[in-house]
Amino acid sequence: MDGVLFVVGSGAKQLMHAQAVNSHNLANVNTIGFQADLANFRTQVVNGAGHESRAYAVAEDVGARFDKGTIQSTGRPLDVAVNGDGWIAVQAPDGSEAYTRAGNLRININGQLLTGGGHPVLGEAGPIVIPEAEKLEIGQDGTISVRPVGQLPNTLAEVGRIKLVAPAQEDLVKGGDGLLRTRTNAPVPASTEVTLISGALESSNVNSVEAMVDMIGLARQFEMAVTIMQTAKEMDEKTSQLMDLG
């Protein structure tokens, strides 16, 4: 009977983990550039003395989905969407280089270019700082041009270039902060193959209908696991009663 409880009890625990991952995805269905998290299950045998007859379920975070969200036009000069494969390089809170597809950029009071999540956008020489200007344009190659205050309408000056990278998907892992990093945490060289779409944003790649169906399915599986545990308990109690009669 303990074999049943090993499998079902651990399975119920991991189903709760899967439900948490799915709920997190659903909560970010409207988050710009969000990459949905994935979770997987495998069976792990209990090692030890005697015959290995006990097993339990293990949930594994297998990374993120890298399919693309929908490109939506906004017309806002600071909004950019990555065209095809590729990422925008940003500075993570710990100072390391990380990557995102969230292109809802903004400029803080110090002139620093930030993502919507507050992460500094990296250029060729570190975080990009934008001087005070009357107009700003972001080119397909990430080049940022501005018209300084008081200059003629056709005067544009290049002030930086957003670092765009194209690492292999299998080399990327997603952190708890929602940013992607390489498995070795080493910076990736800039790529000239990655381009941006100015005045547009990429939506989350979470399918809300699929996530809702998964939520219902996981809830039913959890209920089934609880029912099996309750049945195992009742069978154990009946077995004990029969033993007492003997």
Side-chain angles (χ1 to χ4, degrees):
M1 197 60 63
D2 62 327
V4 174
L5 295 177
F6 252 105
V7 176
V8 179
S10 61
K13 177 183 176 182
Q14 305 310 331
L15 284 168
M16 292 178 66
H17 172 74
Q19 188 70 289
V21 172
N22 188 71
S23 298
H24 177 67
N25 289 339
L26 194 57
N28 286 278
V29 69
N30 293 319
T31 300
I32 299 300
F34 180 79
Q35 307 291 303
D37 295 306
L38 296 173
N40 196 14
F41 296 96
R42 65 180 175 88
T43 300
Q44 178 67 49
V45 176
V46 179
N47 299 315
H51 181 60
E52 295 179 349
S53 60
R54 300 294 181 263
Y56 58 97
V58 178
E60 296 179 320
D61 294 323
V62 292
R65 283 172 46 187
F66 292 118
D67 50 322
K68 310 301 182 294
T70 304
I71 303 297
Q72 302 170 338
S73 178
T74 65
R76 181 173 174 266
L78 282 172
D79 285 344
V80 292
V82 179
N83 187 19
D85 294 330
W87 305 85
I88 297 170
V90 299
Q91 187 177 65
D94 62 0
S96 63
E97 182 172 302
Y99 310 106
T100 181
R101 289 179 69 88
N104 51 335
L105 309 182
R106 59 185 175 87
I107 301 173
N108 67 10
I109 58 175
N110 297 318
Q112 197 169 30
L113 186 64
L114 309 175
T115 64
H119 304 295
V121 178
L122 295 179
E124 298 171 347
I128 297 174
V129 177
I130 308 295
E132 188 176 355
E134 296 180 352
K135 183 180 179 181
L136 181 145
E137 294 181 357
I138 300 178
Q140 289 187 348
D141 61 351
T143 299
I144 303 173
S145 303
V146 300
R147 186 176 74 206
V149 177
Q151 296 297 316
L152 297 175
N154 60 348
T155 302
L156 289 176
E158 183 177 327
V159 295
R161 177 177 294 180
I162 297 173
K163 182 178 180 181
L164 304 172
V165 299
Q169 292 183 359
E170 58 269 21
D171 293 336
L172 293 175
V173 291
K174 186 177 179 181
D177 53 8
L179 299 175
L180 281 293
R181 296 171 176 80
T182 59
R183 295 186 182 277
T184 60
N185 210 30
V188 178
S191 172
T192 57
E193 301 298 322
V194 184
T195 59
L196 298 176
I197 302 174
S198 184
L201 290 174
E202 179 182 340
S203 66
S204 165
N205 68 354
V206 177
N207 185 316
S208 58
V209 175
E210 179 182 331
M212 287 296 296
V213 171
D214 288 344
M215 178 178 289
I216 295 171
L218 289 168
R220 289 178 175 174
Q221 290 177 50
F222 183 81
E223 291 174 0
M224 186 182 299
V226 173
T227 300
I228 294 174
M229 286 188 284
Q230 183 63 35
T231 301
K233 176 185 176 183
E234 293 172 357
M235 291 177 64
D236 187 61
E237 290 174 347
K238 291 180 179 180
T239 300
S240 297
Q241 291 174 2
L242 291 173
M243 294 294 289
D244 291 340
L245 291 175

